[in-house]
Amino acid sequence: MKKLDATLHFSKLSRESYRKHFVRIEDMWREFRALIECRGSSTQRVLDIDITLQVLTLEFDREAIPLNQFEQHDRELFFELLPDIELAIEYCHKRGWVHGDIKPSNILYIPKTRKIKLIDFGASYRIGTWRELLKEWQLTPLFSSQEMISGSGVVNEEDDWFSLNQMLK
């Protein structure tokens, strides 16, 4: 019987990338599933997964600008990008996932294409997941609803819309 290689290769690693290490393998698998199922032009790509080392290799674009680096003079550009941000979030929701940590640093602007990408799906959960059953979860308090902070109710689309609304304040 042939030994199973613990590393799955999705594409050549000639592109720029970075490695995200996980303490808990279940967190790695959840983020991997979210990224694969939400795969599209407006979400970060998984380039490789190493099950043994518990590492995801993710695409990295040196030209990308996180929205938290936008300045006051970029305000008009932000509002031009807002429909694309909404579509990217909706795209994930239609595939059954809530991003769970929508905030400026998790949305990248790609100047050469004038498009955005959602990154860091570490707080993603399937829609309908009961928060009370989770041992732990990630969130950014400034961009999180009271239900997310208290760990009550179920993960739902409103979690991401609440976060986006916080960005608009």
Side-chain angles (χ1 to χ4, degrees), residues 34-47:
L35 285 163
I36 293 299
E37 292 178 24
C38 296
R39 170 176 50 212
S41 62
S42 58
T43 55
Q44 184 174 40
R45 285 182 191 233
V46 177
L47 302 177

Side-chain angles (χ1 to χ4, degrees), residues 4-70:
L4 179 65
D5 183 2
T7 304
L8 306 174
H9 298 280
F10 290 91
S11 65
K12 293 180 181 175
L13 295 180
S14 59
R15 337 172 110 164
E16 292 187 85
S17 62
Y18 71 95
R19 295 167 55 106
K20 184 171 182 178
H21 299 264
F22 293 83
V23 173
R24 297 173 1 130
I25 197 162
E26 56 268 22
D27 294 336
M28 181 190 73
W29 279 117
R30 182 174 32 79
E31 185 164 351
F32 174 74
R33 284 187 198 105
L35 285 163
I36 293 299
E37 292 178 24
C38 296
R39 170 176 50 212
S41 62
S42 58
T43 55
Q44 184 174 40
R45 285 182 191 233
V46 177
L47 302 177
D48 191 54
I49 181 171
D50 186 319
I51 299 163
T52 304
L53 297 177
Q54 296 180 200
V55 171
L56 290 179
T57 303
L58 303 164
E59 77 175 333
F60 177 76
D61 184 340
R62 288 191 190 283
E63 305 300 317
I65 303 166
L67 295 192
N68 65 329
Q69 292 183 11
F70 273 29

Side-chain angles (χ1 to χ4, degrees), residues 73-133:
H73 67 271
D74 296 315
R75 192 171 170 84
E76 186 176 318
L77 175 58
F78 170 77
F79 284 108
E80 287 175 27
L81 297 171
L82 193 54
D84 289 340
I85 296 168
E86 292 170 345
L87 286 172
I89 293 169
E90 195 172 277
Y91 182 84
C92 293
H93 293 170
K94 285 181 179 176
R95 279 145 188 80
W97 290 90
V98 168
H99 181 279
D101 199 18
I102 297 293
K103 61 185 178 182
S105 61
N106 284 342
I107 304 171
L108 302 180
Y109 170 63
I110 315 300
K112 65 184 161 211
T113 61
R114 296 189 57 82
K115 298 291 183 185
I116 61 97
K117 276 199 189 275
L118 294 181
I119 64 166
D120 191 359
F121 280 68
S124 295
Y125 282 96
R126 289 195 177 280
I127 294 170
T129 300
W130 284 93
R131 290 189 183 96
E132 289 89 354
L133 300 177

